[in-house]
Amino acid sequence: MKRFIITALAAVVALSLNAQSTDKKSAKKDGPWIEVNGGVSISSLSRMKDHTGWHLAAMFETAANNKGVYVNTGIAYRFRGASAVEYSQREDINYHAMELPVNIGYRYRFNKKIAIFGELGPYLAYCFGGKTHVRRGDWYDQEYDTFSEQVPLNHFDCGMGIKVGAELFGRIPVSAGYMFGFRDMGSNLDYERNFTCLTVSVGYRFKL
């Protein structure tokens, strides 16, 4: 994961530096755009194993200048989770999250149909619902509501996200990203439970 973050950050920085040297005769500001995307989310909490879920998002994007720099924001739904196995006990957690990301990015266009991009920024999230399944050997098997007294998690999360990808046919973005939470989602636990998530997305963009 660290290598992915470093590589993605390097890509965003390189693209931003390239924007500084772009010819002033470049095209007019790009957009604004509405993007709808979805895909796979492989999420976890600290000291726990990954859970495969999914996400959907609707984003609004506007150009910051005529050199490829842009800002976007919107709302995303994500089905999150994590699992843990310790001795004879297994715990499987899943829950829902509504997220509000704000990103700054850079898009480099090779032509009208193909571009590459990178973006990063903070997010806020409200987490709710879901179920947690706890099993201990053959004698204990119970399901609880996530965020109940038996599953001490906090509802609110915040952190950073980073994404790199390519835009195909001038309309279809394909990307990979990584999110990492700053806030301990565990409540009254002896160790932190920070959210992490690897994402793969595909979407469609509408020009306004």
Side-chain angles (χ1 to χ4, degrees), residues 49 83-92 133-142:
K49 295 185 177 181
S83 64
V85 178
E86 185 174 358
Y87 301 108
S88 62
Q89 176 172 310
R90 180 180 178 89
E91 181 180 20
D92 294 296
H133 195 179
V134 180
R135 294 183 290 274
R136 299 189 184 104
D138 298 326
W139 56 275
Y140 187 91
D141 192 329
Q142 290 289 331

Side-chain angles (χ1 to χ4, degrees), residues 94-171:
N94 66 65
Y95 59 99
H96 312 281
M98 297 302 299
E99 300 165 353
L100 176 64
V102 180
N103 300 304
I104 184 168
Y106 175 70
R107 181 177 290 102
Y108 179 79
R109 290 199 176 278
F110 295 98
N111 52 51
K112 291 183 178 180
K113 292 187 176 182
I114 299 178
I116 55 175
F117 63 89
E119 61 187 50
L120 61 88
Y123 72 86
L124 296 174
Y126 178 75
C127 306
F128 61 96
K131 297 291 183 181
T132 295
H133 195 179
V134 180
R135 294 183 290 274
R136 299 189 184 104
D138 298 326
W139 56 275
Y140 187 91
D141 192 329
Q142 290 289 331
E143 188 173 76
Y144 304 103
D145 292 331
T146 306
F147 304 103
S148 64
E149 292 182 0
Q150 291 82 8
V151 189
L153 292 180
N154 292 313
H155 285 281
F156 291 96
D157 181 33
C158 63
M160 287 287 293
I162 186 166
K163 181 188 293 186
V164 292
E167 183 183 300
L168 308 176
F169 308 107
R171 297 279 181 174

Side-chain angles (χ1 to χ4, degrees), residues 36-50:
V36 178
N37 66 64
V40 177
S41 294
I42 303 174
S43 61
S44 186
L45 297 169
S46 300
R47 301 190 181 187
M48 301 187 77
K49 295 185 177 181
D50 296 338

